[in-house]
């Protein structure tokens, strides 16, 4: 009760309101308006009193009776035991933690309402830790179900309920959708819907509100999907009005690149190359995602796009998530392009100052035609002379902010003020590469502003990788296999466990594993690679492994991308059950790059949970990254998928683009309609649902 009073006072006191809002941010509520959309997890029914004699309740009920005894008992453990009686029977209420004040207020003769599970206990009917309050005779019952909100530490139900009540009284609840739209799609009114969800009448089918199948939930889910579509489509429309330099190279340089590479394109590579070429030839910026499984040959396709840009006289930038991958890309691109007179520059993250200044000068003068690097490329002092194409490798590895930087600030950093197209500043064409495919439903809901090309076949001559699941207790057999492989002149990776809680611990584990394996294999040269090594040490170790000086490479998951050593044919992954499926698949893709038969051993710790077993089974059964992603989605649900988290848009809280696909389609249609005819409604809807997306949209 005390809590509720304090909260009510805070309504009049702006400082107290601030303090309350600060607390509410713990449950993701940043503005009072957000409380309107903070829906209950479930409801308690305190609208009617059940007779105690009705006995064992199936779920919590409200009972009311006169208190006839209250004592602190010490057996079997300290507890407050309260006995109440209504006209029908008596029941015992037990509290294992309680305040002295409670004990005092429970005097014989007072009336008590208790809400909880009524059960046949050791000593007759009882309720364990019911929610309890004293009642004056005739005190009315709640007329609506009592909401139970998602909460957090120090954010009490009382605080939440009061904040929601305040929001419902003071915030604008008017509808962002016209009656015609609501009728056409069978949607309930906004105010009516949120009022019902925060305070449902007692006769409602309470399971349909709780499991979100009630008709008002349809409106809420629709609104959420609509907000998402509005933000994506606003962005698309802006993009359509932006300009880029059309790149219409003849493809002759591409032919030379291919002959330098020494192989022909697969049909799939050829197809996506044509899709990209068509985009590049347009005067609006390309925004294309090239997805293809690990090892499907995305790099060469990116290089061919780069070749078209170079033929048109512009500069190209390639951004990679890690230094190691950047170095690998740098080697590939210089091998293919330098011989034709195009200088390729690696802008490493940790260059000495003078060298960095020199590199930056070469980028801004246009002398460096292709610039490869990590997110260090996004730094403010990096300016291009005539950037026409930006390539982001392994785009799913970049966080939301880096993608925002790329789209927004990135275009400023990378724009080329000297060459206007018409009266507008041209932007670079953007090509993103990813081995993590985006399921179709997520593609419409989260990535609608991206065009997608897919490489759906692997280059010829690959021998499939065999995957083995081995319990950690059979480690010795695994060690023998590693020894055999290395003695036969092959090379192997040993991947250390992922320790998400602590980077320091992860590093320590890698160092320990390396020491242990050095002792196990005195006859082998064993290297160590982890994220904390200096760049020079990393590349020294990598080249030693590349040229065969090292036979076994102990590594953290840093080798997930950008390592291409064809002689390595065995990989051991420790604690595979801790890793994500996409990650396991990527790691496994480090072997099987040559013609030798390759094996990936997934060591796991027993016992495995059912889910962990299911997940490992997926990687065991399939070597197709798209299939793995599909089954991962089934096991985890779309909200969890990396793609959704990294799309730069807020996650969907209520709607599920797979289950609610009909609503999603309706939302797409309504979004187009509103954008064409009703900018006020768009503004209002976005302000309510995605206040933060504005920043993203303006990016
Ligand atoms: P990813 O799609 O994972 O980035 P890469 O571009 O690194 O894959 O290619 C993997 C390997 O396949 C590289 O060694 C590359 O040279 C080789 N490769 C790519 N395309 C072909 C092809 N059409 N024929 C033969 N080998 C190819
Ligand atoms: Mg790659």
């Amino acid at each position: 009760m005390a809590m509720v009073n304090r909260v009510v006072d805070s309504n009049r006191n702006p400082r107290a309101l601030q303090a309350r809002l600060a607390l509410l941010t713990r449950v993701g509520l940043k503005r009072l308006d957000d409380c309107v959309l903070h829906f209950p997890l479930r409801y308690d029914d305190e609208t009617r009193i059940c007779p105690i004699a009705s006995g064992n309740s199936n779920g919590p009920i409200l009972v009311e009776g006169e208190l006839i005894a209250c004592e602190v008992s010490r057996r079997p453990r300290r507890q407050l035991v309260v006995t109440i009686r209504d006209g029908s029977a008596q029941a015992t209420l037990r509290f294992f933690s309680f305040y002295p004040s409670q004990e005092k207020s429970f005097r014989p003769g007072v009336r008590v309402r208790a809400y909880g599970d009524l059960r046949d206990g050791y000593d007759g009917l009882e309720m364990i830790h019911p929610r309890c309050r004293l009642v004056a005779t005739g005190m009315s019952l709640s007329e609506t179900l009592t909401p139970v909100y998602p909460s957090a530490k120090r954010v009490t139900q009382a605080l939440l309920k009061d904040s929601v009540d305040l929001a419902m009284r003071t915030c604008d609840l008017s509808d962002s959708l016209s009656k015609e739209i609501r009728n056409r799609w069978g949607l309930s009114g906004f105010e009516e819907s949120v009022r019902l969800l925060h305070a449902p009448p007692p006769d409602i089918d309470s399971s349909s509100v709780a499991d979100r199948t009630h008709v008002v939930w349809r409106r809420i889910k629709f609104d959420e999907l609509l907000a998402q579509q509005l933000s994506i489509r606003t962005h698309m429309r802006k993009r359509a009005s932006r300009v880029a330099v059309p790149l219409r190279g003849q493809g002759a340089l591409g032919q030379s690149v291919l002959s330098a590479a020494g192989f022909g394109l697969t049909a799939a590579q050829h197809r996506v190359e044509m899709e990209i070429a068509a985009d590049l030839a347009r005067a609006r910026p390309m925004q294309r995602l090239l997805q293809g499984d690990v090892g499907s040959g995305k790099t060469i396709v990116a290089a061919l796009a780069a070749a078209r840009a170079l033929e048109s006289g512009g500069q190209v930038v390639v951004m990679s998530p890690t230094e190691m991958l950047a170095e690998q890309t740098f080697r590939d691109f210089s091998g293919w392009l330098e011989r034709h007179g195009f200088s390729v520059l690696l802008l490493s993250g940790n260059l000495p100052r003078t060298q960095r200044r020199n590199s930056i000068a070469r980028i801004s003068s246009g002398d460096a035609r292709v610039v490869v690097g990590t997110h260090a490329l996004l730094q403010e002092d990096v300016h291009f002379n005539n950037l026409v194409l930006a390539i982001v490798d392994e785009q799913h590895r970049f966080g939301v902010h880096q993608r925002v930087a790329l789209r927004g600030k990135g275009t400023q950093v990378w724009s080329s003020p000297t060459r206007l197209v018409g009266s507008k500043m041209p932007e670079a064409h953007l090509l993103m590469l990813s081995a993590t495919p985006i399921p179709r439903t997520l593609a419409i809901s989260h990535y609608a502003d991206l065009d997608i090309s897919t490489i759906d076949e692997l280059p010829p001559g690959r021998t499939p990788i065999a995957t083995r699941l081995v319990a950690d207790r059979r480690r010795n057999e695994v060690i023998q296999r590693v020894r055999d492989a290395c003695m036969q002149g092959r090379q192997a990776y040993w991947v250390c466990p992922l320790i998400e809680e602590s980077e320091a611990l992860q590093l320590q584990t890698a160092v320990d594993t390396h020491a242990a394996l050095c002792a196990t294999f005195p006859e082998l040269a064993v290297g160590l690679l982890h994220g904390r090594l200096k760049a020079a040490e990393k590349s020294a170790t990598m080249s030693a492994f590349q040229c065969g000086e090292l036979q076994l490479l102990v590594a953290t998951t840093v080798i997930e991308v950008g390592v291409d050593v064809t002689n390595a044919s065995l990989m051991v992954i420790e604690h595979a059950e801790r890793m994500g499926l996409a990650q396991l698949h990527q790691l496994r893709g480090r072997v099987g790059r040559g013609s030798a038969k390759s094996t990936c051993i997934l060591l796991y710790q027993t016992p495995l949970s059912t889910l962990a077993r299911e997940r490992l089974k997926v990687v065991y059964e399939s070597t197709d990254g798209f299939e793995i992603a599909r089954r991962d989605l089934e096991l985890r649900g779309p909200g969890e998928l990396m793609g959704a988290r990294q799309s730069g848009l807020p996650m969907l809280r209520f709607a599920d683009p797979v289950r609610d696909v009909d609503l999603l389609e309706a939302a797409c249609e309504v979004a187009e309609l509103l954008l064409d005819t009703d900018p006020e409604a768009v503004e209002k809807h976005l302000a309510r649902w995605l206040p933060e997306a504005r920043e993203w949209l303006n990016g």
Side-chain angles (χ1 to χ4, degrees):
M1 253 358 242
M3 186 60 178
V4 174
N5 288 338
R6 210 164 50 232
V7 168
V8 172
D9 284 345
S10 78
N11 297 346
R12 282 179 231 115
N13 175 344
R15 225 198 241 157
L17 184 64
Q18 278 309 315
R20 178 208 299 210
L21 285 176
L23 265 181
L24 290 176
T25 57
R26 292 171 175 229
V27 282
L29 303 172
K30 302 202 179 88
R31 314 166 302 163
L32 191 58
D33 289 73
D34 295 339
C35 294
V36 173
L37 304 176
H38 190 65
F39 297 118
L41 282 176
R42 58 185 173 80
Y43 301 91
D44 289 338
D45 185 356
E46 295 175 281
T47 61
R48 58 205 165 94
I49 293 169
C50 301
I52 295 176
S54 56
N56 261 340
S57 69
N58 194 7
I61 56 166
L62 185 68
V63 298
E64 179 178 321
E66 184 187 335
L67 193 149
I68 49 180
C70 171
E71 57 169 13
V72 177
S73 149
R74 297 190 186 275
R75 246 175 256 146
R77 55 188 267 215
R78 191 177 130 83
Q79 54 183 278
L80 184 68
V81 181
V82 177
T83 313
I84 61 165
R85 182 173 56 201
D86 67 3
S88 69
Q90 72 179 45
T92 307
L93 316 177
R94 293 182 196 279
F95 303 87
F96 296 108
S97 63
F98 53 94
Y99 299 108
S101 61
Q102 269 175 316
E103 191 185 336
K104 255 190 234 136
S105 66
F106 284 147
R107 287 182 316 271
V110 298
R111 290 193 72 76
V112 173
R113 268 182 205 159
Y115 183 80
D117 280 314
L118 187 63
R119 270 194 294 251
D120 251 333
Y122 165 75
D123 216 8
L125 288 167
E126 63 178 21
M127 272 188 183
I128 311 290
H129 261 290
R131 189 160 69 228
C132 235
R133 67 162 91 174
L134 302 184
V135 281
T137 350
M139 190 166 104
S140 65
L141 286 165
S142 167
E143 283 172 10
T144 57
L145 298 182
T146 312
V148 180
Y149 292 104
S151 60
K153 205 168 165 197
R154 290 188 52 219
V155 186
T156 60
Q157 287 299 325
L159 175 75
L160 285 166
K161 184 156 173 22
D162 191 68
S163 306
V164 170
D165 287 350
L166 179 64
M168 297 291 282
R169 268 183 281 123
T170 54
C171 297
D172 175 15
L173 301 180
S174 60
D175 218 300
S176 53
L177 299 180
S178 67
K179 226 193 200 112
E180 294 76 65
I181 292 180
R182 295 196 322 252
N183 288 346
R184 160 105 205 269
W185 301 101
L187 301 164
S188 51
F190 179 75
E191 174 163 0
E192 162 204 346
S193 304
V194 291
R195 288 209 184 281
L196 185 129
L197 288 175
H198 287 298
D203 57 352
I204 198 168
D205 169 9
S206 61
S207 64
S208 74
V209 250
D211 68 16
R212 302 185 173 179
T213 52
H214 192 277
V215 64
V216 298
W217 268 115
R218 195 176 143 79
R219 170 63 199 264
I220 301 302
K221 292 176 185 179
F222 176 85
D223 270 21
E224 185 179 43
L225 291 166
L226 176 64
Q228 192 186 45
Q229 287 305 316
L230 285 173
S231 72
I232 293 171
R233 283 158 201 270
T234 309
H235 190 74
M236 282 163 78
R237 289 179 179 216
K238 281 198 184 145
R239 176 158 69 102
S241 70
R242 299 192 319 233
V243 298
V245 179
L247 307 176
R248 303 200 174 104
Q250 293 308 304
L253 180 58
Q255 283 311 315
S256 316
V257 164
L258 265 182
S259 54
F263 49 74
L265 295 182
T266 61
Q269 282 171 318
H270 182 70
R271 172 172 44 77
V272 302
E273 207 265 312
M274 295 321 289
E275 287 166 2
I276 293 168
D279 278 3
L280 291 177
R282 293 199 187 103
R284 67 176 203 125
M286 166 169 81
Q287 191 149 293
R288 186 169 284 276
L289 176 71
L290 170 55
Q291 53 180 26
D293 206 352
V294 184
S296 61
K298 296 183 288 295
T299 320
I300 188 74
V301 176
L304 294 174
R308 285 182 195 273
L310 294 173
E311 278 181 318
S312 310
Q315 279 177 303
V316 179
V317 64
V318 187
M319 184 162 80
S320 304
T322 66
E323 291 283 345
M324 266 174 46
L325 181 53
E327 282 168 31
Q328 174 83 40
T329 308
F330 171 69
R331 277 195 297 275
D332 286 344
F333 274 59
S334 1
W336 296 330
L337 293 167
E338 292 236 318
R339 64 174 79 186
H340 303 292
F342 297 100
S343 59
V344 183
L345 180 138
L346 177 67
L347 186 74
S348 172
N350 32 25
L351 287 177
R353 196 179 301 172
T354 46
Q355 213 175 321
R356 179 177 151 82
R357 205 179 300 139
N358 184 20
S359 297
I360 286 186
R362 288 188 54 209
I363 298 172
S364 61
S365 72
D367 171 40
R369 296 294 300 279
V370 179
V371 183
V372 183
T374 59
H375 53 268
L377 290 165
L378 291 172
Q379 280 163 6
E380 262 172 49
D381 56 349
V382 181
H383 297 281
F384 288 81
N385 178 268
N386 182 22
L387 181 75
V388 292
L389 172 63
I391 299 171
V392 181
D393 198 2
E394 305 288 347
Q395 74 91 25
H396 63 282
R397 297 268 308 238
F398 287 95
V400 175
H401 295 296
Q402 286 152 328
R403 278 192 47 171
V404 171
L406 239 172
R407 289 189 168 165
K409 184 165 171 296
T411 47
Q412 286 161 25
V413 173
W414 287 345
S415 59
S416 30
T418 49
R419 299 162 201 240
L420 295 183
V421 169
S423 60
K424 289 184 177 170
M425 180 115 94
E427 287 176 26
H429 293 280
L430 180 59
L431 176 64
M432 292 175 264
L433 315 182
S434 176
T436 305
I438 300 170
R440 199 188 73 87
T441 42
L442 278 183
I444 17 177
S445 64
H446 289 75
Y447 288 92
D449 63 337
L450 280 189
D451 298 308
I452 298 182
S453 291
T454 306
I455 304 184
D456 52 8
E457 71 181 308
L458 292 179
R462 298 272 166 86
T463 19
I465 306 167
T467 302
R468 303 266 169 273
L469 294 177
V470 180
D472 193 62
R473 63 184 126 78
R474 289 171 51 204
R475 212 181 165 81
N476 280 339
E477 295 164 39
V478 174
I479 285 174
Q480 194 50 46
R481 275 194 82 142
V482 171
R483 181 174 286 125
D484 290 348
C486 292
M487 295 319 265
Q488 284 161 23
R490 314 233 63 97
Q491 288 167 285
Y493 297 99
W494 192 290
V495 183
C496 298
L498 182 70
I499 298 169
E500 280 193 335
E501 307 81 52
S502 153
E503 204 197 332
L505 205 57
Q506 168 143 339
L507 183 66
Q508 190 54 47
T509 311
V511 171
D512 294 348
T513 310
H514 177 246
L517 290 173
C518 283
T520 310
F521 299 115
E523 68 279 40
L524 301 180
V526 186
L528 173 63
L529 200 66
H530 58 69
R532 279 301 175 87
L533 291 178
K534 293 215 176 68
E537 293 171 311
K538 262 190 246 173
S539 30
T541 306
M542 254 344 279
S543 358
F545 190 61
Q546 193 110 42
C547 73
E549 258 168 52
L550 292 172
Q551 290 149 303
L552 178 62
L553 186 64
V554 178
T556 55
T557 49
V558 291
I559 60 157
E560 185 178 331
V561 290
V563 174
D564 191 14
V565 177
T566 38
N567 190 44
S569 62
L570 178 61
M571 172 173 281
V572 180
I573 303 179
E574 281 203 72
H575 272 290
E577 78 280 1
R578 288 187 190 168
M579 298 198 192
L581 297 193
Q583 189 169 36
L584 284 174
H585 179 63
Q586 285 265 6
L587 280 167
R588 178 171 61 181
R590 298 307 114 204
V591 294
R593 303 198 146 223
S595 51
K597 175 139 185 58
S598 294
T599 307
C600 177
I601 299 177
L602 305 179
L603 272 176
Y604 62 86
Q605 209 73 29
T606 48
L608 276 182
S609 70
T610 324
L611 181 62
R613 183 177 303 277
E614 277 299 307
R615 300 179 69 235
L616 286 180
K617 209 169 127 221
V618 170
V619 185
Y620 170 72
E621 284 173 355
S622 177
T623 49
D624 173 349
F626 284 37
E627 168 72 8
I628 291 175
R630 197 183 58 71
R631 292 183 50 190
D632 199 15
L633 183 70
E634 279 172 12
L635 287 175
R636 291 198 293 176
E640 267 283 309
L641 201 85
M642 281 296 271
R645 218 178 303 144
Q646 310 239 322
S647 64
L649 279 175
M651 307 257 291
L652 290 169
R653 285 181 291 161
F654 309 119
D656 171 345
V658 179
R659 211 175 331 114
D660 305 317
V661 67
D662 61 322
L663 284 179
L664 175 59
E665 274 156 16
C668 293
E669 204 172 319
V670 174
E672 285 298 324
L673 180 73
L674 292 183
L675 285 169
D676 285 341
T677 61
D678 197 347
E680 265 170 45
V682 172
E683 178 68 13
K684 181 173 184 156
H685 197 82
L686 284 175
R688 174 174 287 156
W689 280 92
L690 290 178
E692 279 149 32
R694 292 213 179 106
E695 185 191 339
W696 186 83
L697 288 175
N698 294 330

